[in-house]
């Protein structure tokens, strides 16, 4: 079995989840987030793309309902002992099979939490679930019950986060080596992703982002690579990932030459990320970090060219999204605590003059402040 | 703008979608599947991880509601002209903003189709949508309306599929070069993914699958790489991807030596894939292809070691899943037509003796039969 934590650590996590259920008056939890399944049992798959549910009772009782291709996957990667399989056929409704399993457990009339906020539970399957359980038991949203537990990392998890950060730095080095006039974006992407895989790392929860020229202002992946111009700008956002733990970074390299305007944007971005990292300490809120970002950029006259969010938690995210809960935005009350890990990104994009500048790196919240994970400088990169 | 099809082709697709709506008695469509957005407008993003909806009226009227980071993404990659942005803040409900936009369009009391079966619409957001539109208009499942149109590819799309298949073959060659006793799985994965990126290709809708030793029996990605033993088995499933069009392949390489048992499994897998490809012709159903797979493997005494499905359509899938609609399983009535593209995989996994054998490749359905896309042989690979 390829389980990346001790069985005792996994058991401790399940016990904390059971206590959280009890505190919320829940008799059990219907788990659809792959992140939660990985956290509680080690179960590692993308089989959540079809209907799949892990049941965990407040009493510790547990079973998985999944498709045949994931039966062995669960056996090889998790501590789950009871696995039920539903079979593809016209008109099949796995939600009804789930109800039958819950019925056998005498859970009729009980109150169950559900992870409705999950890519592993499409709205279509959510409706099937609602219909199948209507009148059978009471359902209540518990989408963040496990996510809240995942937020503060254990020592073993932080080891993986630090290894992920090393892989992110190695990907940065590869990009730095290749970037320059005439360089091919596809070759840069291959080298960066290769650094992570060759270091034993994993795919990230979403695609690495690469864009140059006018598309350096974008902050999503898109199809279509190009070669860098003699004078250009190249925006990259990537993550080192180890055992599914992420450590993201972001940077905009300037190619060929630097204008004063770009230099000024970099100075603002650098000041902003340092101010955010200064605010990243126990007792502060997520909103405090966002407000540091906004204060600096707005003072530089960049209010119209910044984002409404400046980062988010880093954790064991699965596709299609490495942005873990919660996010840095105005008014987010979640309090920072030691052992949390975050990615802070400063994104400045001015569509009027076509200039982009970004800076981003990940940190662990320590007892008194941020432990920045990247060993690379924040200096302006010109190739 | 980086749009990979002519505006005329995109317009033709939207017109066909509008006709399909009219035929189904729908006044408009609430689109949440990124595949549908890409197909109809070129829009290329992973921003669907948050609430995002493309509205297309049966009259051709169209707007997008998304978050700020995707405003520029939509402008750079799509023909969408009207873009509305919702802003992250505590208690925000973008579904209500969507209702207001629909209300301005005088769509009160109308009948709208919804893509409920979409990773871009979690059950939580589906519930918000239901509540926001309750009593405002009638909703009806239209999850496959655009998927059905996507199934038969145009000449321009088939060009991309063929390029994707070349990238898949190049990834195969890289794996063949590196595989052997002592080889590192991580290096193999880096080389395969690198071949796709260096060729101008894209990330696949899900992770490439790599597993050796006992994990060669798995058919999902998982974290944790190892080195191949002196005698080993290595299962790989990967896709060349170009402009998001996929051409998948699958193979199990034997390392160091071959047993008679493995040889027999390969012979069965080879016979099965050829029989499936013979069944892949216009007029046959998806079920016919599955039954060819089952007939061959069952005759080889492998009924207990095969899957309940043997492949699926290939198309422009986004994360977390490259398995496009529909799938080859018993009883699936969807009829095969020229221009459809499919991945057929034969997966044999025997947990009793720990042996795995797989073979898979993609084909276009031609006027009279399958056009197999890979140029590589189906021979047993021993390294």
């Amino acid at each position: 079995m390829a389980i990346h934590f001790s069985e005792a650590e996994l058991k401790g996590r399940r016990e904390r989840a059971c206590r959280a259920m009890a505190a919320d008056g829940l008799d059990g939890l219907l788990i659809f987030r792959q992140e939660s399944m990985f956290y509680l049992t080690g179960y590692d798959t993308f089989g959540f793309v079809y209907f799949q549910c892990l049941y965990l009772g407040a009493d510790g009782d547990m079973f998985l309902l999944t498709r045949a291709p994931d039966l062995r996957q669960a056996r090889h990667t998790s501590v789950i002992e009871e696995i039920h399989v539903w079979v593809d056929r016209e008109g099949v409704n796995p939600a009804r099979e789930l109800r039958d399993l819950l019925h056998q457990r005498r859970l009729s009339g009980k109150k169950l939490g559900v992870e409705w906020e999950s890519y592993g539970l499409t709205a279509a399957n959510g409706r099937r679930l609602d219909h199948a359980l209507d009148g059978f038991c009471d359902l209540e949203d518990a989408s963040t019950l496990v996510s809240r537990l995942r937020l503060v990392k254990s020592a073993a998890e932080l080891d993986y986060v630090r290894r992920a950060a090393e892989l992110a730095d190695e990907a940065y080095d590869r990009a730095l080596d290749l970037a320059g006039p005439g360089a091919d974006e596809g070759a840069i992407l291959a080298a960066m992703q290769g650094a992570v895989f060759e270091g034993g790392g994993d795919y990230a929860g979403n695609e690495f982002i690469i864009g140059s020229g006018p598309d350096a202002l974008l902050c999503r992946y898109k199809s279509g690579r190009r070669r860098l111009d003699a004078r250009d700008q190249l925006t990259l956002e990537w993550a080192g990932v180890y055992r599914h733990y992420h450590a993201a970074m972001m940077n905009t390299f300037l190619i060929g030459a630097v204008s004063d305007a770009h230099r000024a944007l970099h100075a603002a971005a650098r000041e902003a990320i340092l101010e955010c990292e200064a605010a990243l300490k126990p007792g502060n809120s997520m909103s405090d970090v966002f407000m540091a970002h906004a204060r600096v950029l707005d003072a530089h006259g960049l209010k119209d060219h910044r984002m409404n969010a400046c980062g988010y938690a880093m954790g064991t995210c699965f596709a299609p999204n490495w942005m873990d809960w919660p996010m840095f935005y105005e008014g987010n009350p979640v309090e920072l605590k030691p052992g949390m890990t975050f990615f802070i990104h400063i994104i400045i994009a001015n569509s009027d003059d076509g200039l982009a500048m970004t800076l981003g790196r990940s940190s662990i919240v320590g007892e008194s402040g941020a432990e920045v994970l990247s060993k690379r400088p924040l200096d302006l990169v010109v190739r």
Side-chain angles (χ1 to χ4, degrees), chain A:
Chain A
M1 283 203 299
I3 302 181
H4 308 299
F5 296 96
S6 71
E7 296 206 16
E9 175 154 352
L10 295 177
K11 186 157 175 279
R13 295 176 187 176
R14 289 195 300 280
E15 287 168 355
R16 282 194 295 282
C18 291
R19 283 199 295 274
M21 284 180 226
D24 290 351
L26 298 173
D27 297 298
L29 190 60
L30 300 176
I31 298 169
F32 292 93
R33 293 175 67 96
Q34 192 59 46
E35 296 77 13
S36 302
M37 299 189 199
F38 181 80
Y39 181 76
L40 296 171
T41 73
Y43 183 37
D44 187 1
T45 185
F46 61 83
F48 65 88
V49 300
Y50 297 114
F51 188 97
Q52 172 178 268
C53 180
L54 178 70
Y55 169 76
L56 179 63
D59 57 359
D61 182 30
M62 181 165 69
F63 70 83
L64 177 71
L65 175 63
T66 189
R67 286 169 75 245
D70 279 296
L71 171 62
R72 273 189 201 85
Q73 192 82 12
R75 287 198 180 134
H76 287 219
T77 68
S78 85
V79 298
I80 302 168
E81 289 177 0
E82 185 179 333
I83 305 169
H84 299 271
V85 166
W86 65 269
V87 175
D88 301 290
R89 57 177 186 275
E90 280 300 290
V92 66
N93 185 348
R96 254 185 254 140
E97 303 192 23
L98 178 62
R99 185 197 50 199
D100 293 345
L101 290 165
L102 297 172
H103 187 263
Q104 288 163 23
R105 251 74 189 179
R106 301 174 189 279
L107 289 165
S108 162
K110 303 288 188 182
K111 190 159 134 193
L112 302 182
V114 188
E115 289 186 339
W116 274 313
E117 187 56 59
S118 166
Y119 304 111
L121 187 66
T122 61
N125 280 333
R127 295 167 70 86
R128 279 184 202 108
L129 184 74
D130 286 353
H131 294 150
L133 299 185
D134 186 38
F136 171 75
C137 59
D138 292 327
L139 301 181
E140 188 176 292
D141 186 44
S143 297
T144 58
L145 188 146
V146 178
S147 296
R148 283 175 190 275
L149 298 178
R150 287 199 300 108
L151 197 48
V152 173
K153 272 72 174 170
S154 70
E157 291 179 289
L158 291 177
D159 285 347
Y160 292 153
V161 170
R162 290 192 179 92
R163 175 66 186 139
E166 288 172 1
L167 295 177
D169 275 352
E170 285 170 28
Y172 173 90
D173 296 343
R174 300 256 186 121
L176 214 55
D177 278 350
L178 290 174
D184 176 50
E185 285 183 353
I188 294 170
L189 185 57
M192 295 180 79
Q193 191 63 70
V196 176
F197 290 150
E198 286 165 23
D202 298 305
Y203 283 94
N206 50 254
E207 297 92 340
F208 289 6
I209 294 159
I210 183 164
S212 56
D215 291 343
L217 279 73
L218 301 182
C219 45
R220 303 277 185 236
Y221 178 86
K222 67 172 178 56
S223 182
R225 303 280 78 78
R226 69 189 280 277
R227 284 187 180 277
L228 301 182
D229 289 336
R231 187 167 178 171
D232 212 329
Q233 52 186 354
L234 171 68
T235 293
L236 299 165
E237 190 183 48
W238 70 99
V241 188
Y242 196 75
R243 305 296 182 243
H244 294 297
Y245 286 81
H246 288 61
M249 293 179 72
M250 191 170 196
N251 213 313
T252 298
F253 295 174
L254 300 181
I255 309 298
V258 199
S259 65
D260 288 345
H262 251 138
R263 225 180 267 286
L265 294 184
H266 176 266
R270 189 174 184 282
E271 184 183 336
I273 198 167
L274 292 171
E275 284 296 308
C276 287
E277 287 168 357
L280 198 72
K281 56 187 181 189
N284 273 0
S285 70
M286 297 293 293
S287 183
D288 291 332
V289 175
F290 175 80
M291 295 314 288
H293 152 267
R295 201 162 46 238
V296 172
L297 293 189
D298 295 0
H300 281 265
L302 296 166
K303 187 173 173 52
D304 293 342
H305 307 302
R306 65 162 169 87
M307 296 282 152
N308 303 312
C310 69
Y312 37 80
M314 293 267 90
T316 54
C317 284
F318 285 71
N321 189 1
W322 81 38
M323 299 178 260
D324 209 351
W325 177 90
M327 191 182 275
F328 295 116
Y329 57 76
E330 183 168 356
N332 190 334
V334 175
E335 187 187 321
L336 304 179
K337 291 182 183 161
M340 294 182 176
T341 63
F342 292 101
F343 173 49
I344 295 172
H345 62 59
I346 311 298
I347 301 176
I348 307 169
N350 185 339
S351 284
D352 302 333
D353 58 19
L355 299 185
M357 182 49 64
T358 67
L359 266 183
R361 57 185 186 178
S362 298
S363 292
I364 297 171
V365 180
E367 292 297 333
S368 58
E371 174 196 341
V372 174
L373 289 168
S374 172
K375 308 297 183 211
R376 301 297 173 265
L378 289 175
D379 301 348
L380 182 61
V381 174
V382 188
R383 308 300 291 175

